[in-house]
Amino acid sequence: MERTLPMAAGAAALLGLVLPLFSGEAGVVSTWGQTGALVFALAVLVMAGENLLGLLVQGKGASDHSWFQGPSGDMIIAVIAHFGAWVLLSALATHSGEAAGGFWALIAAAWLTGWLFVQRLANRTFASKFAQRVVGIVIPLLFGLWILILWQALVTGFGVPKVLLPAPSEIWVRLVGGFPSPLWEDFRQTFLKAVLIGYALGCGSGFVVALLVDRVDFLKRGLLPVGNLVSALPIVGVAPIMVMWFGFDWPSKAAVVIIMTFFPMLVNTVAGLAASDHMQRDLMRTYAASHWQTLVKLRLPQALPFVFNALKINSTLALIGAIVAEFFGTPTVGMGFRISTEVGRMNVDMVWAEIAVAALAGSLFYGLMTLLERVFTFWHPSFRT
């Protein structure tokens, strides 16, 4: 793959030099008339040429003295890829909807060069565990960055109307302009109140009831089937009822979150408490351990991976439930309220800004649960290196 990507990027860069960059009412613009795009295309051709020369000379890749080998070579490749993306998007800003074949060829060259950088970064081993963890974070961040780059290029290059799909730059402008109002007020209403309070109550009560279910066989036979039935209830059916019961403010949304998070925690905790095998429980009996001693010292530690699995699942379910519940009655604040209102006003960039805030909050919340899982279940085989 590391041999093929430079050649593919070089072929795309060569096409970018031949085909027109932009074509519109003002005429045709070629790559040769754009200094930044020309420099990028030539740099990609140099990279591809040196790779081809290494293949011809050694038959196993670029030479050991190549500019594009080692950590310094990786950084050069990264600079070329991201410089090319920046130059092309900057030029596209004044030629919206006029992108021609040369532009798309150079975008492909930049993407392939960025792919090469990520591929080499993923294959590289580091002596430091900290550096390895940093690389593990950088790779998905670069992947997300290139999704945004391609999104910006496609929307602007084809002149897609903002009402259908706004460009990331337009969403960013709305994000920056939306703080502290109204995005912060919406975030506080939906996430800090409804989601966190409902999440804590739902997961906490589910965990406590799971301990009772594990202790009382009657509850295990009677409550779990009912729990599966309730967990299958649609949000659109439950949310209006909760609004009628608890009012239009955040308590009704928290109630929806409690219903959505209670039974995943219940089912996972019950399964986790049954994870210890008979030999381990027999060993605790030979030590004359009581039920609670066995629970605290054996069964709860064994159940922690299941508990954290429920916590991670619920971290996303809670946010989805709160936002959807706000569609059925809320004060003039909240993520769900803002999304439904701004869609009606055709302010799609504001809708995407709310979606971005929700996605970022949900991802950070999920990441926090994953971090806590590593802290408390470091002994689990899935975390051994």
Side-chain angles (χ1 to χ4, degrees):
M1 185 65 72
E2 292 187 17
R3 300 178 183 180
T4 306
L5 288 174
M7 306 306 300
L14 189 60
L15 278 177
L17 292 174
V18 176
L19 298 175
L21 197 62
F22 304 109
S23 179
E25 296 180 357
V28 176
V29 179
S30 69
T31 305
W32 298 93
Q34 297 284 328
T35 304
L38 178 61
V39 170
F40 163 69
L42 294 177
V44 173
L45 286 175
V46 170
M47 178 187 68
E50 191 168 51
N51 182 77
L52 178 61
L53 181 62
L55 288 172
L56 294 176
V57 172
Q58 294 187 352
K60 60 175 183 178
S63 66
D64 295 336
H65 303 289
S66 171
W67 292 347
F68 302 98
Q69 292 298 315
S72 60
D74 294 346
M75 294 307 300
I76 293 174
I77 292 172
V79 169
I80 292 174
H82 296 92
F83 169 75
W86 175 73
V87 165
L88 293 170
L89 293 181
S90 299
L92 183 62
T94 57
H95 296 277
S96 180
E98 299 179 355
F103 174 83
W104 299 117
L106 291 182
I107 280 289
W111 172 64
L112 290 168
T113 307
W115 183 0
L116 174 63
F117 170 66
V118 173
Q119 180 77 28
R120 294 176 63 168
L121 198 63
N123 292 337
R124 190 171 296 279
T125 56
F126 297 87
S128 171
K129 289 186 177 180
F130 176 77
Q132 196 71 38
R133 289 178 181 175
V134 170
V135 170
I137 297 174
V138 168
I139 290 176
L141 288 178
L142 288 174
F143 184 82
L145 174 63
W146 276 97
I147 290 178
L148 295 177
I149 290 172
L150 295 177
W151 180 356
Q152 179 77 24
L154 291 170
V155 170
T156 310
F158 288 113
V160 178
K162 185 173 70 173
V163 71
L164 294 180
L165 182 63
S169 58
E170 295 171 332
I171 298 173
W172 174 253
V173 170
R174 180 65 76 168
L175 272 172
V176 174
F179 280 99
S181 177
L183 291 177
W184 169 249
E185 284 81 0
D186 295 340
F187 175 78
R188 182 174 58 185
Q189 172 75 11
T190 302
F191 191 84
L192 298 183
K193 292 181 180 179
V195 171
L196 291 185
I197 294 175
Y199 180 84
L201 293 176
C203 293
S205 57
F207 181 79
V208 172
V209 172
L211 298 180
L212 296 176
V213 167
D214 179 73
R215 184 64 171 165
V216 182
D217 189 62
F218 167 74
L219 293 177
K220 181 181 295 185
R221 295 174 180 273
L223 185 59
L224 287 182
V226 175
N228 293 330
L229 175 65
V230 175
S231 63
L233 294 176
I235 306 175
V236 295
V238 174
I241 298 174
M242 295 298 104
V243 170
M244 288 189 293
W245 285 3
F246 299 103
F248 287 91
D249 210 348
W250 64 265
S252 59
K253 317 308 176 293
V256 174
V257 173
I258 290 172
I259 294 174
M260 293 189 65
T261 58
F262 176 83
F263 291 101
M265 175 59 73
L266 172 64
V267 172
N268 276 274
T269 305
V270 170
L273 291 173
S276 57
D277 57 40
H278 291 288
M279 292 185 63
Q280 293 171 325
R281 292 195 292 270
D282 290 342
L283 180 62
M284 295 299 292
R285 293 192 190 97
T286 61
Y287 292 152
S290 65
H291 168 77
W292 294 107
Q293 288 175 324
T294 303
L295 180 68
V296 172
K297 296 183 179 181
L298 171 64
R299 303 182 68 200
L300 276 181
Q302 291 277 21
L304 279 180
F306 294 84
V307 172
F308 276 105
N309 186 50
L311 289 173
K312 290 188 293 184
I313 293 173
N314 287 340
S315 66
T316 55
L317 283 179
L319 186 58
I320 295 171
I323 292 176
V324 173
E326 288 180 343
F327 280 73
F328 298 93
T330 183
T332 57
V333 66
M335 291 182 175
F337 166 79
R338 195 72 56 191
I339 291 173
S340 61
T341 302
E342 298 301 331
V343 164
R345 296 175 179 175
M346 293 298 184
N347 293 330
V348 185
D349 51 350
M350 186 63 186
V351 174
W352 279 95
E354 291 283 357
I355 292 173
V357 172
L360 180 60
S363 299
L364 292 176
F365 197 20
Y366 184 91
L368 176 61
M369 293 300 106
T370 303
L371 179 62
L372 292 176
E373 182 183 23
R374 289 191 67 94
V375 172
F376 289 101
T377 62
F378 61 90
W379 46 267
H380 197 264
S382 61
F383 295 118
R384 294 175 185 172
T385 56

